[in-house]
Amino acid sequence: MTQTFDEPAASPALLLLGTRTDPMSERGVDCPGDLPAASDPGLVERARAAKEALGDRVFILGHHYQRDEVIQFADVTGDSFKLARDAANRPGAEFIVFCGVHFMAESADILTSDNQAVILPDMAAGCSMADMAGINQVEDAWAQLEEAGVASRTVPVTYMNSTAAIKAFCGRHEGAVCTSSNAEVALRWAFDTVGGVAGDGKVLFMPDQHLGRNTAVLGLGLGLDDCIVWDPRKPLGGNTPEAIAAARMILWKGHCSVHGRFRKDNVDTLREQVPGINIIVHPECTHEVVTSADFVGSTEYIIAAIDAAEPGTAWGIGTELNLVRRLADAHPDKQVHFLEDTVCFCSTMNRIDLPHLVWVLESLVAGTVPNRIVVDAVTQEQARIALDRMLALPAQQPEKD
Ligand code: 13P
Ligand code: SF4
C-alpha cells in the first residue's frame, strides 16, 4: 500500500522563521518561487548549468559558515569583512548572489552600484544578533545619552552584524562600522576622534557586547569596569547616571546565539581530554571563554591559524560548525575538535541550501530577479559613510594569543 504524508499545518510558534512577515526581525518573508525538492539528485548539475549559463553576469559570495553544498558554488569565500570588499570590487557583475545572511547582503547592496542586483537566496536568512538592536531602540538610547550630557563625547560603532538603518545611524553621528577582523583598529579610530583611549571619550558599541568587551579589554587595555552594558528595555539602559558618566565603553546588550553557546567548561574539558590542545575562538564568545582560550580572532584568522599549524597539533575551535567541519576535512594531519559538546549550526546561515541556490540561479537564467535586497537611497548614503570609514582604516595586525 502506498503511504502518503500530509504536511502538518504550520504552528504559529514556528512562523517567525521564514514564513510571512516578522515585524520584530530584520529577516524577511519566505521565497515566492517553487523551490526544487531537496531530494532531487540533479540539483548539483542544475546549479552548475545555471551558473555556467550566467557566466560573468553572476558573482557568488559564500560566507565561511555556509553549508558545503553551497560553498562549492561560491566564486569567493570569506568572513564578513572580506566579502564586503569582494562585493565592492566586482563592478562588472550584474547579479551578486550573497550566500550569507541579510545584513551582509544589505552591506553588499550599499557597496555596489544601483545597476547591480544583490540577491539573498532565502529571505529568512537573518541574524538573531542583528535583531537584538532595533533602530528605534538605538535612537532612544542616543536621546538618553544626549539628555545625560555625554552624547557629544560618544562615538557610535556598530558591528557589521547590524541592520543598514543602524549603520546609517553611525554614519549620521560621526561613527563607523567594524567587523571582527578590524574591531581593534576601529575602536582606536573611534577613541582618537574623542581624545584618545587615555582620554574621557566613550564608544557606544552595538550590537555585540562580547566583541566590544573583548576588544576594549584585550586589544585596547581598558578595564572590565570601564565597560557598562546598555539594556534597551530599561531606562538609562539599566545604569545609573554616574555609571554612564564614568564608562568608556557602552556595550549594547546583544550577543551571537551560536558563539554565546561556548562555555569555559568546554575549554577545560577539552584540555583535560587532549593534553597540549590549542584552543582558538571567535571574539563573539564570552570574555570568560576568550580569556581561557589560547588564541582569539575572526573566522579568517582562525582559518589562517589552522592552515599554518604544524602537522600533528591538536586544535579546539570555538566558531560555527560548518567551518569547523570543513577545517577538519581539509587538515586530516591535524586533530580538529569542535569546542561545544552539543552540535549547533547557525540556523539562519543554514537557511541557504542547494534548493534555494538552484531556484535563484535558474530564475536569473529565466530573466527574473528573485529576492533582491534593496536598501533605500537615504539609508544607503548614510550607511556608506560609516562603511567607507571602516574600509579606509589601516589593516589590523593578526591577533595575538
Ligand atoms: P565574521 O564573518 O566577521 O568573522 O563574523 C562572524 C559571524 O558571526 C558572521 O555572522
Ligand atoms: Fe548572527 Fe551569530 Fe549566525 Fe553570525 S553566527 S549570523 S552573528 S547568529
Side-chain angles (χ1 to χ4, degrees):
M1 194 176 84
T2 318
Q3 297 223 320
T4 56
F5 173 74
D6 293 325
E7 188 72 40
S11 150
L14 294 177
L15 285 180
L16 289 183
L17 193 61
T19 314
R20 303 180 202 161
T21 52
D22 175 3
M24 300 302 289
S25 166
E26 58 123 23
R27 61 187 169 234
V29 296
D30 59 349
C31 290
D34 275 337
L35 289 181
S39 56
D40 178 346
L43 285 182
V44 169
E45 197 34 54
R46 284 171 66 176
R48 189 173 294 131
K51 191 171 179 224
E52 210 173 286
L54 290 162
D56 288 346
R57 295 172 69 205
V58 72
F59 187 53
I60 304 181
L61 300 165
H63 189 273
H64 289 309
Y65 299 168
Q66 291 287 297
R67 299 160 180 260
D68 290 352
E69 68 192 46
V70 168
I71 280 289
Q72 65 180 323
F73 291 105
D75 292 305
V76 289
T77 57
D79 64 2
S80 52
F81 180 68
K82 180 167 177 288
L83 293 181
R85 279 187 179 244
D86 287 338
N89 290 336
R90 258 312 162 120
E94 210 177 316
F95 310 119
I96 306 274
V97 175
F98 210 120
C99 300
V101 288
H102 188 262
F103 68 78
M104 296 178 184
E106 278 190 332
S107 298
D109 184 50
I110 294 164
L111 292 168
T112 52
S113 69
D114 288 347
N115 50 25
Q116 292 178 284
V118 175
I119 293 145
L120 183 66
D122 186 344
M123 291 299 239
C127 166
S128 51
M129 178 201 286
D131 288 341
M132 290 175 195
I135 184 61
N136 292 342
Q137 293 175 317
V138 171
E139 296 279 11
D140 182 52
W142 193 255
Q144 293 185 62
L145 293 177
E146 279 176 329
E147 183 110 334
V150 299
S152 60
R153 287 180 288 131
T154 303
V155 183
V157 175
T158 191
Y159 190 21
M160 185 68 114
N161 305 19
S162 57
T163 62
I166 290 173
K167 293 183 178 86
F169 173 91
C170 290
R172 283 199 298 282
H173 292 278
E174 316 300 326
V177 176
C178 76
T179 71
S180 56
S181 297
N182 63 12
E184 186 178 329
V185 283
L187 277 191
R188 278 193 197 284
W189 168 87
F191 277 115
D192 282 349
T193 66
V194 281
V197 177
D200 70 347
K202 304 175 196 301
V203 167
L204 169 64
F205 191 87
M206 301 166 288
D208 184 11
Q209 59 167 303
H210 300 305
L211 177 66
R213 184 181 295 106
N214 288 327
T215 310
V217 174
L218 302 175
L220 272 62
L222 291 174
L224 280 175
D225 52 5
D226 289 319
C227 305
I228 57 171
V229 174
W230 186 280
D231 182 343
R233 288 160 213 83
K234 295 183 178 161
L236 290 181
N239 303 285
T240 61
E242 296 73 27
I244 291 171
R248 307 298 313 289
M249 283 292 288
I250 304 173
L251 303 169
W252 195 264
K253 193 168 188 229
H255 67 274
C256 165
S257 38
V258 174
H259 293 92
R261 293 174 64 86
F262 298 108
R263 303 179 316 276
K264 182 178 178 303
D265 58 275
N266 299 140
V267 177
D268 298 340
T269 306
L270 259 188
R271 288 202 197 279
E272 264 169 47
Q273 288 171 347
V274 189
I277 194 168
N278 300 285
I279 306 290
I280 185 164
V281 301
H282 194 281
E284 288 174 14
C285 295
T286 64
H287 192 61
E288 193 185 32
V289 167
V290 164
T291 49
S292 62
D294 301 302
F295 305 93
V296 55
S298 68
T299 46
E300 286 289 335
Y301 169 82
I302 292 172
I303 293 166
I306 306 301
D307 285 349
E310 292 292 325
T313 51
W315 293 82
I317 308 182
T319 192
E320 211 274 341
L321 185 53
N322 277 310
L323 173 59
V324 179
R325 277 206 326 201
R326 250 189 317 272
L327 285 171
D329 291 346
H331 296 278
D333 58 336
K334 299 162 199 169
Q335 264 191 61
V336 174
H337 299 261
F338 186 53
L339 185 56
E340 230 244 282
D341 47 6
T342 58
V343 176
C344 188
F345 295 97
C346 172
S347 59
T348 47
M349 280 275 180
N350 256 19
R351 302 276 317 178
I352 314 284
D353 57 8
L354 202 46
H356 283 88
L357 185 61
V358 167
W359 170 67
V360 156
L361 294 176
E362 289 184 346
S363 302
L364 292 174
V365 172
T368 43
V369 181
N371 286 7
R372 184 168 181 181
I373 303 296
V374 183
V375 177
D376 72 80
V378 175
T379 307
Q380 279 214 33
E381 192 189 333
Q382 296 174 347
R384 173 111 208 191
I385 296 169
L387 278 163
D388 282 345
R389 281 193 190 118
M390 172 186 83
L391 292 171
L393 291 171
Q396 182 163 312
Q397 293 311 307
E399 261 89 344
K400 47 215 165 288
D401 55 0

